[in-house]
Amino acid sequence: MSVFAPLYSLIFHNSLSNCVDSPTLDETKAASLHQTKKPPMYKVIMLNDDFTPMDFVVYILEAIFQKNNDDAMQIMLDIHHNGSANCGLYTYEIAEMKQTQVIQFARQNQYPLQCILEKE
């Protein structure tokens, strides 16, 4: 090591201790904690139609929403009997992406399946 090592150590430790003990840093931390909010969440709701096969809906629930087979069957039956069902709760960007994936995959397979987003 050179002669600069003790000087560097002195400067580094003094500047670090000044930053950590600074009351403005503590105030900034406290203010940022109070301003942080959870992002709004959105439900992805799949709608019933008379043309899309139940097996296709189950496949979409498993592939896009990562549902196991039992959960996918239950959600599909809810869609069939009630006209719609919640497939999952996500932040807006993820919910929008899943909605787009469902609609694109349905169109590729020539089905009119629809999804909507609903703010929680």
Side-chain angles (χ1 to χ4, degrees):
M1 285 231 216
S2 70
V3 266
F4 296 111
L7 181 60
Y8 173 77
S9 176
L10 181 65
I11 293 171
F12 179 74
H13 289 300
N14 284 344
S15 64
L16 184 61
S17 65
N18 287 342
C19 289
V20 174
D21 295 335
S22 171
T24 56
L25 180 60
D26 292 335
E27 291 169 5
T28 304
K29 284 181 185 177
S32 67
L33 287 176
H34 294 292
Q35 294 173 359
T36 304
K37 294 181 185 178
K38 287 186 177 181
M41 302 298 280
Y42 289 82
K43 298 179 203 173
V44 180
I45 299 174
M46 197 174 298
L47 305 176
N48 189 33
D49 63 62
D50 294 332
F51 304 102
T52 306
M54 294 179 183
D55 291 340
F56 185 77
V57 174
V58 170
Y59 178 77
I60 283 183
L61 290 165
E62 291 173 346
I64 295 176
F65 295 96
Q66 288 77 42
K67 303 293 183 185
N68 62 43
N69 190 269
D70 292 337
D71 290 342
M73 289 292 288
Q74 184 59 51
I75 293 170
M76 179 273 297
L77 290 172
D78 288 345
I79 295 166
H80 181 70
H81 293 297
N82 302 324
S84 67
N86 181 5
C87 300
L89 187 64
Y90 308 95
T91 59
Y92 180 76
E93 291 81 9
I94 295 172
E96 184 180 44
M97 178 188 65
K98 290 189 180 289
Q99 177 190 33
T100 301
Q101 289 174 335
V102 168
I103 293 171
Q104 284 179 348
F105 190 64
R107 296 305 168 270
Q108 288 172 354
N109 289 277
Q110 300 177 352
Y111 294 121
L113 187 61
Q114 287 292 319
C115 272
I116 58 171
L117 303 181
E118 184 178 291
K119 192 171 185 178
E120 185 179 52

